[in-house]
Amino acid sequence: MAAIPAATRKPQRELPLQESRALMRDHFTEHTGEKYNEGWAKLWEAGDFLPWDRMMPSPALPDTLDNHASVVGSAKLVLPDGTTRRKRALVPGCGRGVDVMLLQAYGYDVVGLEYSSKAVEACEVYAKETENEALYRIKDEKASKGSRVFVQGDFYADDWLEKAGLGEHGKEGVFELIYDYTFFCAMQPSMRPAWAKRMSTLLAPNPQANLICLEFPTTKAPNAGGPPFASPSKAYMEHLSHPGEDIPYSEEGEVRMQPFAESGPGALERVGHWQPADTHGIGKDADGNVADYISVWRHR
């Protein structure tokens, strides 16, 4: 595993997993519904309790880009006339921007989106301090680094596209790569239909365009609350197959599969699903085995 870049941040409260999750659960009991985004912003404003902040990308992302290129392709988009350009990538809920930095190193033009202005500030500081670290150096000398921009905005609104300099491309099908890690699991289950619809809308209808989800946590009890909320593979499958539709859940919080239901408008199709070679420790079981999954989705 690559070394953690030597970026600075406010000292964190290092707590056992269960205690950390209990604090998160208690915090968000006061920030539900329309106040949910405000709850995340307040955590960034305090800056001393960010349990999701690992200060480096999950090893699952470079494993995907390096070892599963036959599925996800590269940062180069081939246009109908045979010319090429860089793929545009989005990392919603990008946190400190670690995944933005890595995708940039692989040659993507990346937008890191955060609701909290304090998080965006943290991204800019982190990027300035770490861009010359080995982890974020150019991965393909022929491709060179892509661009990056961090913007503040609401994932479900459109104004941030203008802030990112992408207004001329419209409001749909803007990105050839979207990476979701600890974003789906941060959504209250009632927000998941809107999450799936927005992903479908923003992902380009192009066979070279992919939504990559690092599925986590896959083994958490569904009735344990969150965030992070239990996010088994079947939750991604049901929501992305029926974007914007209400998906049935049991009283225990289990997703009810609908194997014979027709896919909804804008449905995404899963074209790859595997366990990565490595991931953050939080995504492993007590024996150190990887519990996370990678899923790759495209428009049908």
Side-chain angles (χ1 to χ4, degrees):
M1 183 185 297
I4 297 177
T8 59
R9 66 170 177 175
K10 191 172 182 177
Q12 297 287 297
R13 285 182 278 169
E14 299 295 342
L15 301 173
L17 177 61
Q18 295 307 316
E19 185 176 349
S20 175
R21 285 185 171 175
L23 281 176
M24 287 287 284
R25 190 166 56 247
D26 290 346
H27 175 76
F28 280 98
T29 58
E30 301 176 4
H31 300 89
T32 58
E34 294 181 356
K35 295 182 178 180
Y36 193 62
N37 284 338
E38 180 185 326
W40 292 103
K42 285 189 174 181
L43 288 173
W44 276 106
E45 287 168 9
D48 64 345
F49 180 59
L50 307 171
W52 62 89
D53 183 15
R54 305 287 161 184
M55 294 293 286
M56 65 178 296
S58 168
L61 180 54
D63 173 68
T64 295
L65 299 173
D66 289 335
N67 299 321
H68 297 274
S70 60
V71 178
V72 301
S74 69
K76 181 188 295 184
L77 179 71
V78 180
L79 301 172
D81 63 2
T83 61
T84 62
R85 67 164 172 82
R86 297 182 192 277
K87 290 180 180 176
R88 292 187 290 267
L90 170 68
V91 183
C94 68
R96 201 173 293 270
V98 296
D99 302 314
V100 172
M101 298 286 289
L102 188 70
L103 289 168
Q104 180 191 14
Y106 275 85
Y108 292 88
D109 288 337
V110 197
V111 176
L113 176 65
E114 259 296 342
Y115 182 81
S116 165
S117 59
K118 287 293 184 182
V120 173
E121 291 176 13
C123 288
E124 298 289 3
V125 171
Y126 180 87
K128 184 177 180 180
E129 292 183 346
T130 65
E131 59 187 346
N132 294 319
E133 298 275 356
L135 181 61
Y136 300 129
R137 290 177 189 155
I138 296 171
K139 305 303 178 184
D140 183 352
E141 294 293 341
K142 296 179 181 178
S144 71
K145 272 193 177 185
S147 64
R148 69 168 184 266
V149 60
F150 298 109
V151 295
Q152 186 276 330
D154 182 347
F155 175 68
Y156 299 100
D158 292 322
D159 58 341
W160 57 268
L161 290 166
E162 293 283 351
K163 295 179 185 178
L166 299 175
E168 66 185 73
H169 301 293
K171 299 176 182 178
E172 298 185 5
V174 179
F175 298 98
E176 287 83 33
L177 185 144
I178 306 176
Y179 178 58
D180 183 304
Y181 176 47
T182 67
F183 190 62
F184 178 82
C185 71
M187 298 291 118
Q188 295 170 323
S190 62
M191 301 170 72
R192 289 176 173 179
W195 170 91
K197 180 67 174 178
R198 187 63 168 157
M199 287 295 188
S200 172
T201 299
L202 290 172
L203 185 68
N206 185 312
Q208 300 173 75
N210 300 296
L211 164 62
I212 300 176
C213 296
L214 177 47
E215 299 175 358
F216 162 87
T218 60
T219 59
K220 186 177 182 181
N223 59 359
F229 293 92
S231 301
S233 296
K234 61 184 179 181
Y236 295 86
M237 176 64 75
E238 286 302 301
H239 284 285
L240 289 171
S241 296
H242 307 91
E245 299 179 24
D246 288 330
I247 301 300
Y249 283 72
S250 71
E251 292 183 359
E252 294 76 28
E254 289 276 4
V255 179
R256 288 178 171 161
M257 298 292 286
Q258 306 172 86
F260 301 111
E262 291 187 9
S263 298
L268 301 184
E269 179 180 17
R270 192 173 71 182
V271 297
H273 195 229
W274 61 82
Q275 285 191 297
D278 196 10
T279 193
H280 283 319
I282 193 69
K284 298 179 181 179
D285 64 21
D287 297 321
N289 300 309
V290 172
D292 291 346
Y293 279 85
I294 287 284
S295 57
V296 182
W297 306 83
R298 289 181 201 144
H299 281 285
R300 295 178 181 274

